């Protein structure tokens, strides 16, 4: 054990930055253990897509994003560390465990899996075919695409009831198809949906088939008791939406072959929240539990962290090692370039007045990026007469005021197609293109992905797996990646960041990101009714259209 560098060693690594992972980080860091939270996409988890949380004790009303942002700040205040990276594997053998990530291996005494779960598919005919063209899984991300249209919701749990009410903000009418005799959630949770004038509920009903042409035109559903089938057809010239809320599939891939799971894939734990693998604990929606809510996730995580304290204390005594945070964080566990980090009082005083557009958290992220950028960049503005052009100009101007690494220039748009305007193109100091462009204003959830794009284009960029780096270098033909996003979509940034990274590293690839709300032509061209939508155009000959969240490796696989 003498050769172990305690400045690189953690007491606990928490895989997953949702409510469970953040709560465990608060408890463990407060108990003076060195803790690292590793999250692949965004800190906050699934709850960040919920606009209104009203059943969290002690908080009258808040959004999921605000609630988890507060949790993260609490954990940071106690000394927890954070990293945005994909965990690729776990090695739970021996006294020192290892968490393998795309940014390097992390040694630790114990691991907490708080990886949560993702939406399940039903499996009805047409579900996969019309995903993104009418079939959706996120009301917050895709609800606006169905403004003034009819919408069906499949499911009878809490999410189906809650999201149906949310969808009435957009839809002409919402029909909920519940397979059981009644909703399976608490009566109070379902009451608002049942009493809403814009919602109809059909019980004992399941989907048979969804069909259409380039978009949904017809839905057939069946009464499971009588066998009677009913066909719904969209009004002439219209389409409609099907939102699926039938529970979640646990993200337990990392535990396969290491710890036991039940027949549905949920990880099994004992009374101490320990799995069948030594040193591996679990909490939150990844576990077997009767109710999947933020309150149950944080409660279970608090219990798990307390149980882990005993294990970690014993590990320190057994090995004689006590993890110590270094003065400067090592590269392997360095937080993501755009991940929030506390600013000093001096930094806050000097930057808080720089722009009213960016709050303290944003300024901290930006300062972290600008400090590490190896080369300056030019933000080349391609504008038109639309109001959004003024927004882009103001946004980029304020961004450039914060650092000497960025310069704003106005481009000659005479050669630009009108459908592509307005946009900001990221160029090098000599004016050559980096391959990155954002059409619209990169606000909302796209703020961080835009900042990461700058960091990757300027260098040194985020660490990535060697196989991904080789795959990017191996692209020997011109590939245009277009990502159609919604600024309220939490699944879009991962696709954007991955596409931009490929373009930043290979001059034959370009990555254009579009705020779909400003580009109706593209939305109509690809019948986009869900985001993110990735369009891959290779040498102008072949075109692939793909919907849903994807990481770097998945996009590279599609490019081939």
């Amino acid at each position: 054990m003498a050769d172990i560098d305690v400045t690189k060693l953690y007491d606990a690594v928490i895989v997953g930055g949702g409510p469970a992972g953040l709560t465990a980080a608060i408890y463990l860091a407060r108990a003076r253990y060195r803790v690292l939270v590793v999250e692949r996409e965004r800190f906050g988890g699934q709850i960040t897509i919920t606009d209104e949380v009203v059943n969290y004790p002690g908080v009258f009303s808040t959004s999921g994003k605000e609630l988890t942002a507060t949790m993260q700040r609490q954990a940071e205040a106690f000394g927890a560390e954070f990293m945005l990276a994909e965990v690729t594997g776990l090695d739970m053998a021996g006294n020192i465990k290892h968490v393998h990530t795309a940014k390097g291996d992390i040694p630790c005494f114990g691991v907490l899996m708080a990886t949560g779960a993702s939406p399940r598919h039903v499996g009805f005919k047409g579900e996969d075919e019309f995903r993104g063209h009418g079939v959706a899984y996120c009301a917050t991300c895709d609800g606006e695409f169905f403004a003034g249209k009819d919408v069906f919701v499949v499911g009878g749990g809490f999410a189906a009831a809650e999201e149906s009410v949310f969808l009435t903000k957009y839809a002409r009418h919402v029909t909920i198809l519940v397979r059981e005799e009644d909703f399976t959630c608490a009566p109070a949770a379902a009451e608002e949906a049942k009493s809403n004038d814009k919602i109809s509920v059909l019980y004992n009903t399941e989907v048979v088939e969804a069909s259409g042409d380039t978009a949904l035109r017809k839905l057939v559903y069946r009464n499971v008791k009588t066998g009677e089938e009913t066909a719904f057809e969209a009004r002439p010239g219209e389409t409609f939406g099907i939102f699926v809320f039938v529970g979640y599939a646990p993200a337990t891939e990392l535990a396969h072959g290491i710890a036991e799971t039940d027949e549905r894939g949920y990880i099994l734990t004992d009374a101490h929240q320990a799995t069948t693998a030594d040193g591996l604990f679990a909490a939150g929606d990844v576990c077997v539990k009767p109710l999947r809510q933020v309150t149950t996730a944080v409660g279970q995580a608090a219990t798990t962290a307390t149980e882990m304290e005993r294990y970690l204390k014993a590990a320190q005594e057994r090995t004689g090692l006590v993890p110590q945070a270094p003065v400067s964080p090592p590269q392997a566990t360095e937080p993501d370039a755009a991940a929030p980090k506390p600013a000093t009082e001096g930094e806050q005083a000097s930057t808080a007045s720089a722009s009213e557009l960016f709050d303290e958290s944003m300024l901290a992220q930006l300062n972290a990026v600008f400090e590490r950028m190896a080369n300056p960049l030019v933000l080349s503005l391609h504008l038109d007469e639309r109001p959004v052009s003024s927004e882009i100009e103001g946004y980029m101007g304020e961004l450039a005021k914060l650092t000497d690494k960025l310069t704003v220039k106005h481009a000659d748009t005479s050669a630009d197609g009108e459908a592509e305007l307005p946009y900001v193109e990221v160029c090098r100091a000599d004016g050559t293109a980096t391959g990155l462009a954002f059409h619209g204003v990169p606000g909302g959830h796209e703020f961080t992905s835009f900042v990461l794009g700058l960091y990757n284009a300027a260098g040194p960029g985020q660490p990535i797996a060697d196989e991904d780096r080789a795959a990017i270098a191996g692209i020997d033909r011109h590939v245009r990646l277009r990502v159609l996003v919604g600024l309220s979509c939490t699944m879009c940034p991962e696709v954007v960041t991955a596409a931009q990274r490929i373009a930043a590293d290979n001059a034959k690839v370009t990555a254009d990101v579009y705020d779909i709300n400003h580009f109706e032509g593209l939305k109509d061209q690809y019948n986009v009714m869900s985001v993110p939508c990735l369009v891959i155009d290779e040498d102008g000959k072949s075109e692939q259209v793909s919907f849903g969240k994807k990481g770097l490796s998945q996009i590279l696989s599609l490019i081939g």
Side-chain angles (χ1 to χ4, degrees), residues 27 98 170 177 240 264 268 309 358 400:
Y27 274 74
H98 290 84
Y170 306 103
L177 307 181
F240 64 98
R264 297 178 300 165
L268 297 174
E309 288 179 28
F358 310 115

Side-chain angles (χ1 to χ4, degrees), residues 77-284:
F78 286 122
E81 300 172 44
F82 292 84
M83 174 198 284
L84 281 173
E86 181 175 3
V87 175
T88 57
L90 303 175
D91 182 355
M92 302 305 297
N95 286 320
I96 305 296
K97 322 300 181 184
H98 290 84
V99 178
H100 305 302
T101 81
K103 293 184 178 181
D105 291 348
I106 307 166
C108 60
F109 289 134
V111 178
L112 170 59
M113 280 190 63
T115 45
S118 56
R120 289 186 184 275
H121 292 196
V122 177
F124 58 82
K125 187 176 181 181
E127 180 176 8
D128 291 337
E129 179 184 354
F130 289 97
R131 181 182 180 183
H133 298 301
V135 176
Y137 301 85
C138 175
T140 303
C141 301
D142 302 329
E144 61 186 316
F145 292 109
F146 300 91
K149 296 180 172 66
D150 292 303
V151 165
F152 288 82
V153 168
V154 181
F158 177 82
E162 181 182 54
E163 301 293 13
S164 294
V165 175
F166 176 83
L167 286 167
T168 60
K169 295 180 180 180
Y170 306 103
R172 176 192 296 130
H173 190 80
V174 177
T175 302
I176 309 176
L177 307 181
V178 182
R179 200 178 191 284
E180 290 76 21
E181 297 274 355
D182 198 352
F183 284 92
T184 56
C185 56
E191 184 56 36
E192 191 173 356
K194 290 181 177 181
S195 61
N196 194 301
D197 292 339
K198 292 184 68 175
I199 296 177
S200 299
V201 184
L202 300 178
Y203 301 103
N204 302 306
T205 303
E206 65 180 6
V207 176
V208 176
E209 179 182 1
S211 59
D213 38 48
T214 57
L216 278 177
R217 307 296 180 192
K218 184 178 179 180
L219 171 66
V220 178
Y221 53 88
R222 174 173 53 216
N223 185 296
V224 296
K225 285 193 170 183
T226 66
E228 180 182 359
E229 293 188 355
T230 303
F232 168 86
E233 294 192 30
R235 299 184 184 188
E238 284 192 8
T239 183
F240 64 98
I242 301 174
F243 282 78
V244 179
F245 303 111
V246 292
Y248 292 86
T252 51
E253 295 85 0
L254 290 172
H256 290 174
I258 298 175
E260 290 184 14
T261 58
D262 71 1
E263 66 279 0
R264 297 178 300 165
Y266 290 97
I267 199 161
L268 297 174
T269 58
D270 62 17
H272 304 287
Q273 290 301 122
T275 71
T276 54
D278 178 61
L280 180 62
F281 295 76

